[in-house]
Amino acid sequence: MTSDRRDLVVTLNDEQEVAGLLQVPQHSFACYVLAHGAGAGMIHPFLNAVAMGLAKRNIASLRFQFPYMQKGLKRPDPPPVAHAAVRAAVAEASRHLPNIPLIAGGRSFGGRMSSQAQAKVPLENVRGLAFLGFPLHPAGQPSQERARHLDNVDIPMLFLQGTRDSLAHLEQLEPLVRRLGSRATLKLFNDADHSFHVPARLGKTDEDVRNELIGALADWIGMLAKSSI
C-alpha cells in the first residue's frame, strides 16, 4: 500500500489554527474527516488504527485537533468553536482532495460536534456522517435529548456502537435509529463498551473488534461513494 501522510495546519479564522493530519492512499475514492473524542487528541492509538485501516482500503482520512486539545486544555470547546473546527477541517479536506466525496464524523464528542454542525448548516461536499460511538446521553442518564438535532440532518448516517456502551443504551439508541428511518444505519458490536473494549473472557480481543469496526466503516463509505458517482 502506498500512502502519503502529511502534517497540516487547519485555519479556523485569522486568530486560530489547529494541527491536522492527512493520510492519502494512492487510489483514494473517499475521505473521512475524523474528529477525536473529548479526552484524547487526533493521534490516539484508536484513531491511528482507524486511519491506517481505511488507508489499506483506499479511503483517505483527515484528522484534526479541536482548539482546546491544541492548547492542552481538558475542558472541550463550546459547540460554536467545535463546529467551526469541523467546518475548517472539511474545507481543508476539500482543498486537498477536491474530486472525491467526503464523510464527516468521528469518535464520541467529535462525531456529535460534526452532526451538530451539519444540522445547522450542511457541511460542503459531505455526503454522510459516520459515528464511532455516538454519545447519546451522559452515563446513567438514558435519554435521546442529545440526538434531537439529527432530525435536521438529511444525509446518510452510520452508527457504530457497542452493546455495552454506557453513553448509548440500546433502549434509547434503537428507537432513535428507527425514527431516523432510511437515513440511519446501525451496526452493533456485541459486548463492546463506549471505547469498543470487550471483556477478555469472551475470547475476542479489542483488536478483533476494531478490525470489524474498520471493515464495517469502509464498506459503508464504499457504498456511499458509489451511490454519489
Side-chain angles (χ1 to χ4, degrees):
M1 177 196 70
T2 301
S3 182
D4 178 20
R5 180 167 160 153
R6 302 173 234 167
D7 292 318
L8 302 176
V9 173
V10 178
T11 302
L12 278 65
N13 52 52
D14 291 341
E15 300 177 349
Q16 203 162 33
E17 295 178 337
V18 295
L21 183 56
L22 180 67
Q23 190 144 352
V24 185
Q26 187 174 7
H27 301 293
S28 300
F29 63 85
C31 179
Y32 185 31
V33 182
L34 175 53
H36 64 74
M42 67 178 183
I43 59 171
H44 187 272
F46 181 88
L47 297 191
N48 279 333
V50 170
M52 289 298 297
L54 292 179
K56 290 177 181 178
R57 295 162 173 83
N58 292 321
I59 299 170
S61 62
L62 190 149
R63 288 176 273 165
F64 63 97
Q65 301 281 57
F66 284 110
Y68 78 95
M69 188 64 66
Q70 183 78 25
K71 297 172 185 174
L73 304 177
K74 292 185 177 181
R75 182 169 182 156
D77 300 306
V81 175
H83 299 167
V86 170
R87 290 190 189 283
V90 166
E92 191 71 12
S94 286
R95 189 171 74 82
H96 285 273
L97 300 166
N99 299 316
I100 66 173
L102 303 180
I103 311 300
R107 268 291 293 144
S108 197
F109 169 81
R112 186 160 62 94
M113 292 301 102
S114 299
S115 62
Q116 286 182 358
Q118 174 69 27
K120 287 183 175 297
V121 179
L123 298 162
E124 190 172 359
N125 297 325
V126 167
R127 310 292 178 83
L129 296 170
F131 308 118
L132 313 182
F134 188 87
L136 185 56
H137 53 73
Q141 302 177 45
S143 166
Q144 294 184 23
E145 187 67 29
R146 286 183 172 178
R148 292 192 181 278
H149 67 280
L150 297 179
D151 290 331
N152 296 321
V153 172
D154 60 2
I155 57 176
M157 291 170 274
L158 174 65
F159 293 81
L160 300 168
Q161 305 281 160
T163 60
R164 291 192 305 114
D165 190 337
S166 63
L167 304 187
H169 287 185
L170 291 184
E171 62 267 25
Q172 298 293 330
L173 179 63
E174 290 178 325
L176 165 66
V177 171
R178 286 195 297 270
R179 192 184 84 234
L180 294 172
S182 61
R183 289 172 292 159
T185 299
L186 174 61
K187 169 66 176 175
L188 294 173
F189 299 86
N190 288 333
D191 297 302
D193 63 14
H194 189 63
S195 298
F196 297 98
H197 168 71
V198 290
R201 59 181 170 76
L202 298 176
K204 181 181 282 191
T205 67
D206 290 357
E207 184 179 4
D208 292 334
V209 175
R210 189 169 61 241
N211 289 338
E212 185 182 352
L213 178 148
I214 293 168
L217 174 60
D219 288 346
W220 184 83
I221 291 175
M223 288 189 294
L224 200 58
K226 287 179 182 177
S227 69
S228 65
I229 294 175

